[in-house]
Amino acid sequence: MLEDQNPLRSQIEQELLNSEWFQKFKAWGDLLKTLKTEVPLTQLCKLQWVTSSDDLLIHCPNPEIREALKQQSEKIDHLKGLAQHIILKHADYPDIIVSQSAPPMD
């Protein structure tokens, strides 16, 4: 097999698969897939993961979808996974923070 012929490649692949970054990437992919399955209206939106803050922005195409997703806030919050915040966005309206991680307890 090629793996046996190239142990360095195998080692690098294993390190990548076990890396914190890759695990986080997989978790975000699972979150987006679950959100689109459990809350089908999100399929009509642009979902944006902000890596610097671990926020998920849901860009709603119109006010009606924004409002319908607001009505499902509890369900969306339950699915948040790694997201620090889940924010509904629409250009003509203020942002709605659907989910916000609790601050760490001292």
Side-chain angles (χ1 to χ4, degrees):
M1 279 195 136
L2 287 176
E3 286 180 18
D4 298 334
Q5 295 174 3
N6 195 342
L8 181 58
R9 178 186 172 125
S10 297
Q11 179 185 352
I12 291 170
E13 286 175 351
Q14 270 312 115
E15 287 177 14
L16 174 63
L17 293 175
N18 294 328
S19 72
E20 183 180 336
W21 176 87
F22 186 74
Q23 296 304 317
K24 193 175 191 178
F25 183 79
K26 280 179 36 180
W28 272 97
D30 291 344
L31 167 63
L32 296 177
K33 185 171 124 181
T34 301
L35 196 57
K36 286 183 174 189
T37 302
E38 298 290 325
V39 186
L41 278 177
T42 59
Q43 295 178 28
L44 303 172
C45 304
K46 177 185 171 202
L47 305 179
Q48 179 184 4
W49 168 27
V50 180
T51 57
S52 61
S53 59
D54 282 336
D55 291 343
L56 176 63
L57 307 181
I58 301 175
H59 297 272
C60 303
N62 59 52
E64 294 78 18
I65 290 177
R66 177 184 173 269
E67 187 59 34
L69 288 174
K70 180 181 173 186
Q71 299 303 315
Q72 296 185 53
S73 292
E74 191 173 315
K75 185 174 192 175
I76 293 170
D77 181 51
H78 179 71
L79 300 171
K80 75 178 176 188
L82 295 177
Q84 293 296 311
H85 303 93
I86 296 179
I87 303 167
L88 299 178
K89 299 184 82 56
H90 186 278
D92 298 333
Y93 296 91
D95 293 349
I96 298 172
I97 298 175
V98 172
S99 177
Q100 183 169 326
S101 291
M105 297 178 130
D106 292 326

